[in-house]
Amino acid sequence: MEVTQVLLNAQSIDGAVRKNAEESLKHFQEQNLTVFLLLLSGELVSEEKPVETRKLAGLILKNALDAKDQQRKVELVQRWLSLDGNAKSQIKAGLLKTLSSPVSDARSTASQVIAKVAGIELPHKQWPELVAVVQGMSASEGNTDVRLAATRALYNALGFAQANFSNDMERDYLMRVVCEATLSPEVRIRQAAFECLVSISSTYYEKLAPYIQDIFNITAKAVREDEEPVALQAIEFWSSICDEEIDILEEYGGDFTGDSDIPCFYFIKQAIPALVPMLLETLLKQEEDQDQDEGAWNIAMAGGTCLGLVARTVGDDIVPLVVPFIEENVTKPDWRQREAATYAFGSILEGPSPAKLIPLVNVALNFMLSALTKDPNSHVKDTTAWTLGRIFEFLHGSAVDSPIITQANCQQIVAVLLQSMKDTPNVAEKACGALYFLAQGYEEVGPSSPLTPFFQEIVQSLLTVTHREDARESRLRTAAYETLNEVVRCSTDETAPLVLQLVPVIIMELHNTVEGQKLSSDEREKQSELQGLLCGCLQVIIQKLGSSESTKYLFLQYADQIMGLFLSVFACRSATVHEEAMLAIGALAYATGPDFAKYMPEFYRYLEMGLQNFEEYQVCAVTVGVVGDICRALEEKVVPYCDGIMTQLLKNLSSNQLHRSVKPPIFSCFGDIALAVGEYFEKYLMWAMSALQSAAELSTHTTGDDELIEYINTLRNGILEAYSGIFQGFKNSPKTQLLIPYAPHILQFLDGIYMEKDMDDVVMKTAIGVLGDLADTLGSHAASLIQQSVSSKDFLNECLSSEDVMIKESAEWAKLAISRAISV
């Protein structure tokens, strides 16, 4: 087979030629994989071949090693590992050789393939020559392209280099080569080398101590003198170290013993005398229009972000290092100095104790309120509003002992924020954010809120903002609605009549968006964004007014009108709108209760569409949640719709197309349905239990990364919620004996997850509840099984002595249910 020609044909403009070539490649790959891969690597290595065939050969090689689909990926890895050893060595030698090719496309393709091979082989300790890749990084390598490709290859392989990093000599060598590469004359190599350092900081944090002083010197030089892409990575190194130390300190709560698993080296605490001044300097390197550009990221923003992480890592120790900088710069004539001082203050508000910060805030507050309306520079106003928001977020609310907002200054604060909401969109957006946290701080204030006298004016100002011509800039309209929602959510009974007056206003706004005008695609996007915001606002209002009997009664006069609008919104067909409207319907179902049945004939088809929406899986997940809300509202009135709903849910569970995150809520939903319809669930019992059993088997005996373990816990919780709902639904029915055959399997599942010892608190509480439900519903049938189970007793005792009140209460109930069942 003439590989070069076939690879050229596979890129032909002529469809027939192209298709023919693709067929030949596929056929050859299936016939003799080893020879196929050897020929491809030969093509990639050969300097005589055309660049486009070398590139495609590398791409096909790469795709033979990796796939997005997890199942396929596992197959490809196994296939590579079982290939003939000599062939693999030949392919790998060719790849390493290609790193020094004069053709840049060949080099970069080879380094991508090398990373894939490294990803497969290093965990199996199969590629000791990889350190050879790193030799291409050393300063003696004259060809900058080889040095760059080698540095990128190392970056891609770092996750698998545990063995190399555990060996002192190899680690010293790797670190030396990486640090040397940060000083290369070529900017792309310096940037790639710092990217390696960032990756090393999170993957091998515990190995960094001997190198940290040198790394500080290298990063400090880069931050002060190098080009922005390099300087950004140098700052990112310290942000990454902060992330590591914040995680360690949170996990251990500061109670470290000498032999702690993951020692914290307190690198940041030791570095702050030099690190903080370096970061403060970066704050003065702002760009003229950074506050207009949503995606802006520059050295000043990176420095401020890192400063915020340092504050969270070291707490009070940062304050004396930053205060002199603020005092010196905040009144300077140059806007850059005023803005940097304000940004520094805002950045350190999370981390240090209120006792340390509140005295500073009390001094600064009046100055900042004045700057927000009077400073001539828009940047300074933008950062001032952001900083006020941070003050209200972290230092205002029921948890803070000495309030910074008093009767005396509350009116002035509200007046200044409302005034600022008329400023340019970016400043107005930050002012909305500050008002959001101001309202949130009064959430648990009791019957009367200090904001009550200003409620009407606040709501009116926010609605005015949503109508601004420029409200789509800087996310302003979204921020205004989010703030309106928060103001409503945190309002007290005193202002309920005013919230009720808001209902027809929002209804009218939503009505205007569904009127049948012909729209361009840009206008349609604007319209659906606005519909989403209005549905979200109605959801909050429904929850607020539905939570107390007196207002619920008055609110329900609007229910028909609102539901009609939601159905019109569905007719407009857009994913984000669907999600928001679905959530609002869930809230409406909860508020209207059994009366919601009258909307079901018309609403059901949209419910079904939502459950079938695999593409936009968040919509599907939200719809599954709404099925639960409707079951709780309608109880047995949901029976006529159950066949359709259960059929679709079982279909969803067996589909590979549906995102895995939707599956746990589907199981919980089985529980909601069973609880609503009681023994009528018999019709679906066999199918539901079979699906639950397969999922239960999948969710025990698992090992994996944190993300997988978190998913498995969510899955277990969904399965347990289903069991709980099914058992409670059948309780006191003559048909409970139908559940007896399933009891041993459920106990086995509970045993399995208890023995694995990686349950989180949520799963623990649900699991012990299921043990109780089992005894409560099946009585003596379950009691004997529970008594025979070894781990059930241990599990119960562990939960009874838990410090978590919810777990303890569930366990006490379960103990009572079990002892009642035994005495029967």
Side-chain angles (χ1 to χ4, degrees):
M1 173 176 168
E2 172 44 39
V3 177
T4 308
Q5 194 51 54
V6 178
L7 289 169
L8 284 171
N9 290 352
Q11 303 174 64
S12 161
I13 312 165
D14 181 333
V17 174
R18 196 170 63 240
K19 191 168 187 301
N20 201 350
E22 285 167 358
E23 291 294 323
S24 317
L25 287 168
K26 192 174 169 215
H27 179 69
F28 186 21
Q29 182 170 0
E30 287 161 3
Q31 288 294 301
N32 192 334
L33 182 70
T34 311
V35 178
F36 179 69
L37 295 179
L38 278 168
L39 281 170
L40 288 175
S41 80
E43 186 80 15
L44 175 59
V45 129
S46 167
E47 298 299 341
E48 278 78 62
K49 300 293 185 184
V51 59
E52 55 271 46
T53 64
R54 296 178 72 181
K55 206 169 151 184
L56 182 58
L59 192 66
I60 298 172
L61 254 178
K62 189 179 96 172
N63 292 339
L65 299 168
D66 194 16
K68 282 204 170 72
D69 177 63
Q70 208 49 41
Q71 192 71 40
R72 177 85 183 126
K73 188 175 180 158
V74 173
E75 286 167 19
L76 293 176
V77 167
Q78 283 312 322
R79 196 173 77 171
W80 171 261
L81 290 171
S82 59
L83 275 187
D84 169 64
N86 290 334
K88 281 191 292 195
S89 299
Q90 205 179 321
I91 292 170
K92 290 185 294 193
L95 289 169
L96 292 175
K97 185 177 169 206
T98 312
L99 282 180
S100 52
S101 162
V103 180
S104 74
D105 275 346
R107 286 193 308 271
S108 74
T109 309
S111 74
Q112 288 172 24
V113 184
I114 286 172
K116 295 296 180 196
V117 177
I120 296 174
E121 297 209 345
L122 286 174
H124 294 88
K125 311 256 186 298
Q126 283 189 2
W127 198 6
E129 308 90 349
L130 184 69
V131 174
V133 172
V134 181
Q135 283 164 357
M137 286 175 66
S138 67
S140 58
E141 173 56 65
N143 182 329
T144 54
D145 283 321
V146 173
R147 205 173 169 192
L148 180 63
T151 310
R152 289 187 176 155
L154 174 68
Y155 175 80
N156 289 324
L158 276 170
F160 316 105
Q162 278 84 355
N164 311 77
F165 268 82
S166 303
N167 173 321
D168 291 357
M169 276 175 64
E170 288 193 20
R171 182 178 65 246
D172 285 346
Y173 173 64
L174 285 168
M175 292 301 291
R176 194 185 81 230
V177 172
V178 172
C179 290
E180 277 175 6
T182 64
L183 306 171
S184 157
E186 165 61 48
V187 63
R188 291 174 309 160
I189 293 176
R190 295 199 300 277
Q191 184 181 346
F194 273 114
E195 283 168 3
C196 286
L197 277 181
V198 173
S199 173
I200 290 168
S201 70
S202 59
T203 318
Y204 303 107
Y205 167 84
E206 70 287 353
K207 304 276 190 221
L208 281 176
Y211 317 104
I212 202 81
Q213 185 57 55
D214 289 341
I215 294 175
F216 180 79
N217 299 338
I218 296 169
T219 50
K221 186 172 171 8
V223 170
R224 293 196 167 107
E225 299 166 17
D226 212 328
E227 292 178 42
E228 188 170 86
V230 182
L232 287 173
Q233 288 302 321
I235 295 172
E236 184 59 35
F237 173 84
W238 292 103
S239 292
S240 173
I241 294 283
C242 288
D243 285 333
E244 289 302 307
E245 297 198 342
I246 289 167
D247 284 351
I248 295 169
L249 294 167
E250 273 178 4
E251 193 172 332
Y252 286 85
D255 53 334
F256 292 99
T257 51
D259 52 26
S260 154
D261 296 355
I262 315 182
C264 180
F265 287 100
Y266 296 102
F267 291 139
I268 299 294
K269 203 180 173 75
Q270 291 159 26
I272 51 172
L275 180 61
V276 170
M278 171 182 96
L279 292 171
L280 291 170
E281 280 173 38
T282 65
L283 303 187
L284 294 158
K285 298 182 179 175
Q286 310 95 324
E287 286 172 7
E288 285 292 343
D289 53 354
Q290 65 182 41
D291 51 3
Q292 306 294 328
D293 172 10
E294 270 185 60
W297 185 248
N298 56 44
I299 200 154
M301 296 168 84
T305 303
C306 187
L307 192 65
L309 289 165
V310 172
R312 287 176 54 199
T313 313
V314 303
D316 288 358
D317 294 352
I318 198 171
V319 177
L321 294 170
V322 175
V323 167
F325 178 84
I326 301 172
E327 288 171 340
E328 188 188 332
N329 289 291
V330 78
T331 54
K332 283 283 186 353
D334 179 356
W335 73 265
R336 288 179 182 281
Q337 291 173 286
R338 298 198 304 279
E339 195 275 340
T342 313
Y343 190 18
F345 188 33
S347 298
I348 63 165
L349 291 167
E350 182 187 9
S353 63
K356 192 86 175 165
L357 292 171
I358 286 175
L360 298 176
V361 170
N362 286 332
V363 172
L365 195 60
N366 275 339
F367 178 85
M368 293 181 70
L369 291 169
S370 152
L372 185 52
T373 47
K374 300 199 177 76
D375 197 288
N377 182 276
S378 175
H379 271 281
V380 178
K381 288 197 277 193
D382 181 298
T383 305
T384 303
W386 172 79
T387 300
L388 283 168
R390 304 254 304 169
I391 290 173
F392 301 150
E393 181 178 3
F394 299 113
L395 298 170
H396 153 62
S398 53
V400 182
D401 295 334
S402 41
I404 46 172
I405 301 172
T406 56
Q407 295 276 216
N409 64 11
C410 187
Q411 182 173 2
Q412 184 201 359
I413 290 170
V414 172
V416 167
L417 293 178
L418 298 189
Q419 176 64 33
S420 262
M421 279 156 44
K422 298 176 183 149
D423 210 317
T424 55
N426 56 301
V427 175
E429 188 264 338
K430 304 285 193 310
C432 287
L435 186 55
Y436 177 100
F437 289 114
L438 181 66
Q440 195 178 71
Y442 290 125
E443 187 179 357
E444 291 158 7
V445 75
S448 176
S449 161
L451 291 183
T452 297
F454 317 111
F455 187 85
Q456 186 80 24
E457 195 187 346
I458 290 172
V459 168
Q460 202 41 62
S461 301
L462 286 164
L463 289 172
T464 306
V465 171
T466 65
H467 291 140
R468 278 175 57 158
E469 287 293 308
D470 54 7
R472 281 195 87 193
E473 291 172 35
S474 298
R475 283 188 70 254
L476 177 56
R477 179 179 286 135
T478 305
Y481 275 112
E482 284 170 355
T483 303
L484 177 61
N485 295 351
E486 198 60 10
V487 168
V488 168
R489 203 178 63 77
C490 300
S491 62
T492 59
D493 291 347
E494 299 172 299
T495 45
L498 298 174
V499 176
L500 202 59
Q501 286 172 24
L502 189 56
V503 179
V505 177
I506 304 291
I507 285 180
M508 197 60 215
E509 302 247 332
L510 189 54
H511 176 77
N512 293 339
T513 68
V514 294
E515 284 302 89
Q517 68 274 53
K518 282 276 170 277
L519 298 175
S520 70
S521 68
D522 183 48
E523 286 174 328
R524 184 168 300 117
E525 190 190 333
K526 262 198 249 183
Q527 174 208 41
S528 70
E529 184 186 314
L530 182 56
Q531 286 176 345
L533 293 168
L534 291 163
C535 289
C537 184
L538 277 172
Q539 182 197 347
V540 174
I541 294 173
I542 293 166
Q543 285 167 333
K544 188 74 193 172
L545 296 173
S547 63
S548 98
E549 284 305 314
S550 52
T551 52
K552 180 154 93 173
Y553 172 73
L554 291 166
F555 160 74
L556 286 176
Q557 62 184 334
Y558 296 108
D560 289 359
Q561 208 177 341
I562 290 176
M563 189 64 192
L565 276 172
F566 289 155
L567 293 172
S568 316
V569 167
F570 281 131
C572 298
R573 202 50 215 122
S574 146
T576 48
V577 168
H578 263 214
E579 208 172 320
E580 298 294 345
M582 265 303 169
L583 286 164
I585 285 176
L588 189 65
Y590 186 78
T592 50
D595 291 346
F596 190 82
K598 64 179 173 186
Y599 306 126
M600 280 302 285
E602 228 183 316
F603 170 55
Y604 178 72
R605 68 193 180 106
Y606 295 113
L607 190 72
E608 200 161 52
M609 274 160 60
L611 293 177
Q612 289 162 353
N613 193 342
F614 289 7
E615 287 297 296
E616 298 147 350
Y617 66 87
Q618 290 93 339
V619 176
C620 187
V622 163
T623 310
V624 170
V626 170
V627 171
D629 294 331
I630 288 171
C631 288
R632 284 183 284 279
L634 295 187
E635 293 181 335
E636 67 286 347
K637 285 188 178 175
V638 81
V639 166
Y641 304 97
C642 279
D643 282 6
I645 290 172
M646 280 300 293
T647 305
Q648 192 55 51
L649 291 178
L650 287 162
K651 240 189 218 154
N652 288 15
L653 283 177
S654 62
S655 158
N656 292 331
Q657 260 63 61
L658 183 59
H659 194 274
R660 70 178 189 182
S661 64
V662 188
K663 298 194 174 179
I666 290 177
F667 288 124
S668 307
C669 192
F670 284 176
D672 295 327
I673 293 169
L675 209 49
V677 303
E679 62 180 46
Y680 182 81
F681 195 79
E682 176 193 353
K683 199 172 175 181
Y684 317 113
L685 190 62
M686 193 171 89
W687 308 105
M689 284 300 202
S690 155
L692 285 162
Q693 277 182 8
S694 352
E697 278 154 25
L698 239 172
S699 83
T700 42
H701 320 302
T702 47
T703 49
D705 54 14
D706 293 351
E707 200 181 315
L708 182 67
I709 289 179
E710 192 180 327
Y711 172 71
I712 290 294
N713 270 316
T714 317
L715 181 63
R716 289 170 179 174
N717 200 52
I719 295 167
L720 291 164
E721 285 182 342
Y723 285 143
S724 177
I726 291 169
F727 275 94
Q728 290 178 35
F730 275 86
K731 197 188 164 191
N732 302 332
S733 138
K735 295 191 173 168
T736 46
Q737 82 280 357
L738 292 171
L739 300 176
I740 294 170
Y742 301 107
H745 180 272
I746 293 171
L747 279 167
Q748 196 185 331
F749 174 52
L750 290 171
D751 277 353
I753 54 179
Y754 173 67
M755 301 306 275
E756 283 195 23
K757 300 286 182 215
D758 57 2
M759 269 191 277
D760 60 24
D761 286 354
V762 180
V763 173
M764 204 161 181
K765 177 185 167 296
T766 322
I768 199 64
V770 167
L771 198 62
D773 290 328
L774 207 64
D776 195 37
T777 303
L778 296 183
S780 54
H781 289 293
S784 57
L785 286 168
I786 292 171
Q787 280 179 300
Q788 285 159 26
S789 151
V790 184
S791 62
S792 293
K793 292 193 208 48
D794 296 344
F795 181 34
L796 185 61
N797 291 331
E798 194 175 307
C799 292
L800 284 167
S801 56
S802 168
E803 285 172 13
D804 185 305
V805 184
M806 311 273 283
I807 293 176
K808 202 171 172 163
E809 280 178 6
S810 287
E812 279 163 359
W813 176 80
K815 186 183 174 184
L816 186 71
I818 292 166
S819 56
R820 271 205 308 260
I822 290 169
S823 66
V824 172

